DNA sequence: ATCATATGTTGCAGTCAACAACAAATCTCG
DNA sequence: CGAGATTTGTTGTTGACTGCAACATATGAT
């Protein structure tokens, strides 16, 4: 458990300092002293250490406006530690090289047109991304120890993506599911920092969800929202079950569909409006089960579920109200993500940085 | 975060040693050296510390059978740190005073006959339990920060049990839900130690479930299994919703009922057999949603759900198979608890010890 | 009986963080 | 405009802890 001696202590404190700066941005040494509960002299020594190794940069003399000697500002050097983040969808692969502190240093996107995503990842991460300390891929589906057990969107079952990516790029990869990554992203870089338990719903060609509790994703935390059975014995689903949410929802599957439906509904198309309502109800019912089972205090509607939620909030809420206990419902906030389409990519990078910082301890 | 200096390090190591002994029982100093990764001399110093303070007892010279100087055996002194555990049910209150290392030092049980459980707790914990370092109460229901938000069994909603117990006994209390406590118990003192995610189902006068991931209960981890809606718009439930599992299950509610039903079914009563089957299916369907949302690798059927599972395993399994993805199902083990009725009490005590050991750091 | 083996014990050295005194840089008030 | 107040960085010292190595101890094997 607790490894060894005093140098372990030093490493821990150094890592804590880096983590603090990475998460909360540039701070003065005085603020760091307060935040970490360490002595001024200790902070000084740690900062000197990390400035020497190139992780930190110190800017002297920033006037605070109040009395006293101005404190030196400490900030991360982005290039000192970088992480490769990749988000895989059915139609495209997105890439970002993120530096310590959260700055995006590079960005790229490739359309797939039916090609294997792994090849695209190999191409897009061939440059400076080679220097990255960690590489993380976000995939919409059920992920278990690097293996994509099930993905409606990609049509994979039991694919060892971590191994495939490793043999293609020559580096090790962490694989997370898109929804959990987005939840991590919204928690760490979005507007959900006070959230104790954050449930992120991701609408792609399948429906998945991810849970973050106290800022940490839990092992096996990816939720196949689309395969919650809302209609026992209902329509056959591609997964082999019957009555899955994905199979039962009327308005479903592609961003274009939902746009179409909302446009039509806006123009007074009763059938479209009805379809949206029923879809919202289906979603709300499935959510009821997930909320009862996991007890979140915040739900974010991401991907095309954002549009569905915005145009069918009432049926979602009422179906949810019919299937969850008042206490669970009362503390629940429903809203849309602030990072838009970027959440999963940012969250994947944060997952990588968590590993980097853990590795410093 | 990381508090201060080298004495913090000492405290951490001391706590790690106590935790190791508490969880894995008496061990030799050589084994402790291996397990904690510390130096022999350090283990010696820590053990001397803790022997002085009365937490540990060292037994000299146990012959191992192999060559070399025999290692001294180190074990916890149960009375050195005790925890009060209480399990509250509708009809009775059970109490145990548990010592460091897990030994049960005292035990008591009181029938309620309609009296307020808090009074019973006050009476039963009036003796040596006063010296306990922590007091934990397990309650069947939805618990949030000491407040019982909802309990079908006790008929409570929004009762601040922690405050009530504190004013009755003059000590602070931690409140956990029975199912989560039982899950902790089965994980730490039962047979589920390898389980990554353990889901414990508790059948009392209501149905609750608890989840333990990597041995830790998560904040707000109690699941109101009985209020998973299995039949939208179905029978009215006491909670105000419609179609809850609790309301829909045919054989339900009391240990006597399930005994009656299994007896009748065993004697060839077709109606009873049918009722059991349908109840198993209802349970399986509700479980499907919970499994999809939480992804456990082990499910334990506790309380009277044990009997239901033993006599209706096939319908439970088939309904579960119809509502969960193959991958989630394949790694899932279903079984009954090994601690029987004691799980919640033992788990409550373990929850207390976790706090005690954390407090040593 | 002697040697090999495994473990506890003791003294020493290295490292680290806290503390206190001092230096530096800014603000405020007269 | 200048002296004191205020806040922060710096330096040298101190206390504490763990690791290491040598030694002591207790057992089994030959």
């Amino acid at each position: 458990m607790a490894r060894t001696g005093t140098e372990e202590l030093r490493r821990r404190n150094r890592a804590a300092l880096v983590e603090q700066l990475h998460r909360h941005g540039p701070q003065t040494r005085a603020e760091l002293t307060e935040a970490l509960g360490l002595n001024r002299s200790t902070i000084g020594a740690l900062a000197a250490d990390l400035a020497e190794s190139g992780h930190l940069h110190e800017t002297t003399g920033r006037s605070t406006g109040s009395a006293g000697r101005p404190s030196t500002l400490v900030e991360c050097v982005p290039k000192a530690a970088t992480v490769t983040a990749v988000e895989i969808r059915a139609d495209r692969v997105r890439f970002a090289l993120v530096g310590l502190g959260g700055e995006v240093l590079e960005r790229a996107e490739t359309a797939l047109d039916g090609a294997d995503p792994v090849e695209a990842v190999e191409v897009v991460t061939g440059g400076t991304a080679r220097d990255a300390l960690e590489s993380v891929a976000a995939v919409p589906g059920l992920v278990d120890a690097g293996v994509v057990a099930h993905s409606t969107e990609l049509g994979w079952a039991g694919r060892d993506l971590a191994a495939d990516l490793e043999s293609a790029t020559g580096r090790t990869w962490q694989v997370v599911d898109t929804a959990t990554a987005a939840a991590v992203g919204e928690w760490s870089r979005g507007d959900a920092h006070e959230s104790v338990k954050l449930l992120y719903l991701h609408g792609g060609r399948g429906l998945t969800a991810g849970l973050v509790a106290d800022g940490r994703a839990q092992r096996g935390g990816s939720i196949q929202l689309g395969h919650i059975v809302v209609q026992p014995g209902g329509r056959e689903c591609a997964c082999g079950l019957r009555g899955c949410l994905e199979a039962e929802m009327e308005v479903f599957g592609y961003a274009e569909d939902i746009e179409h439906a909302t446009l039509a509904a806006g123009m007074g198309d009763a059938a479209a409006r009805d379809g949206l309502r029923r879809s919202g109800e289906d979603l709300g019912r499935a959510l009821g089960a997930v909320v009862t089972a996991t007890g979140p205090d915040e739900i974010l509607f991401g991907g095309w579920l954002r549009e569905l939620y915005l145009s069918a909030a009432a049926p979602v809420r009422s179906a949810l109200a019919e299937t969850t206990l008042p206490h669970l419902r009362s503390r629940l906030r429903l809203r849309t993500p602030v990072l838009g389409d970027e959440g999963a990519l940012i969250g994947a990078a944060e997952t990588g940085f968590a590993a980097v910082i853990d590795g410093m301890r």
Side-chain angles (χ1 to χ4, degrees), chain A:
Chain A
M1 268 177 216
R3 204 78 54 78
T4 52
T6 58
E7 62 182 308
E8 179 81 12
L9 189 52
R10 175 65 143 213
R11 277 211 297 277
R12 241 207 284 279
N13 285 340
R14 210 165 22 210
L17 195 147
V18 172
E19 186 175 23
Q20 176 75 14
L21 285 175
H22 173 73
R23 280 165 51 158
H24 304 295
Q27 283 165 80
T28 66
R29 277 172 43 173
E31 288 167 340
L32 290 170
T33 302
E34 171 77 12
L36 298 184
L38 295 169
N39 193 279
R40 284 196 299 220
S41 48
T42 308
I43 295 290
L46 291 171
D49 250 34
L50 288 161
E52 175 113 17
S53 67
H55 292 272
L56 262 49
H57 178 72
E58 293 195 318
T59 318
T60 56
R62 192 187 61 164
S63 179
T64 55
S66 67
R69 173 176 177 172
S71 190
T72 49
L73 190 71
V74 186
E75 55 192 332
C76 295
V77 175
K79 284 183 205 158
T82 59
V83 162
T84 299
V86 155
E87 186 198 355
I88 298 175
R89 300 203 180 192
D91 56 342
R92 59 176 169 75
V93 166
R94 302 173 83 191
F95 153 79
L97 184 71
V98 182
L100 194 60
E103 193 186 328
V104 177
L105 300 173
E106 285 181 39
R107 198 187 281 275
E109 182 167 335
T110 314
L112 282 175
D113 295 323
D116 186 21
V118 171
E119 295 169 25
V121 170
E122 185 197 354
V123 172
V124 86
T125 62
T128 49
R130 289 220 169 277
D131 300 331
L133 298 176
E134 291 279 337
S135 302
V136 183
V139 176
L142 181 58
V143 177
D144 190 6
V147 177
V148 181
H150 177 96
S151 171
T152 305
E153 170 150 351
L154 299 168
W156 294 348
R159 176 170 190 177
D160 192 342
L161 183 63
D164 290 353
L165 286 170
E166 187 171 342
S167 66
T169 64
R171 280 169 297 144
T172 59
W173 285 78
Q174 213 180 136
V175 182
V176 297
D177 83 294
T178 302
T180 304
V184 171
E186 290 284 333
W187 189 85
S188 53
R189 301 284 170 192
D191 207 18
H193 205 78
E194 286 91 42
S195 177
V196 174
K197 258 192 179 179
L198 173 66
L199 183 69
Y200 189 103
L201 313 180
H202 172 73
R205 298 202 184 167
L207 298 181
T208 59
L211 194 64
V212 163
D214 287 321
R216 273 192 306 276
Q218 28 194 333
R219 196 145 42 133
S222 83
I223 300 170
Q224 295 314 102
L225 179 64
H227 300 286
I228 293 274
V229 173
V230 291
Q231 193 67 51
R235 296 184 200 168
E236 201 165 339
C237 177
C239 73
L241 302 179
R242 288 181 161 279
C244 293
L245 177 63
E246 282 183 14
E248 293 290 329
M249 268 182 121
E250 302 210 7
V251 177
F252 174 76
Y254 309 93
E256 306 88 62
D257 285 8
I258 186 83
E259 251 177 62
H260 220 78
T262 48
L263 265 176
M267 295 183 15
D269 183 333
R273 199 172 286 176
D274 227 48
L276 280 175
R277 182 182 52 74
R278 276 202 297 272
S279 298
E281 286 171 357
D282 284 337
L283 178 61
R285 261 196 298 280
L287 272 183
V290 176
V291 168
T292 302
T294 61
D297 57 353
E298 188 147 34
I299 298 182
L300 301 185
F301 294 81
W304 65 262
L305 287 180
R306 178 193 149 88
E307 273 68 45
L308 178 61
Y309 174 68
L310 289 177
S311 52
V316 170
R317 282 176 184 276
S318 70
L320 191 54
E322 283 168 15
T323 50
T324 51
L325 292 176
H327 175 77
L328 287 173
R329 216 167 56 233
S330 67
R331 63 176 179 190
L332 200 54
R333 295 182 297 277
L334 307 186
R335 62 178 182 86
T336 56
V338 297
L339 299 179
D341 234 16
E342 299 278 271
L345 205 55
I346 292 171
E350 287 306 319
T351 305
F353 278 115
V356 168
I357 291 170
D358 250 29
M360 294 178 64
R361 293 189 219 269

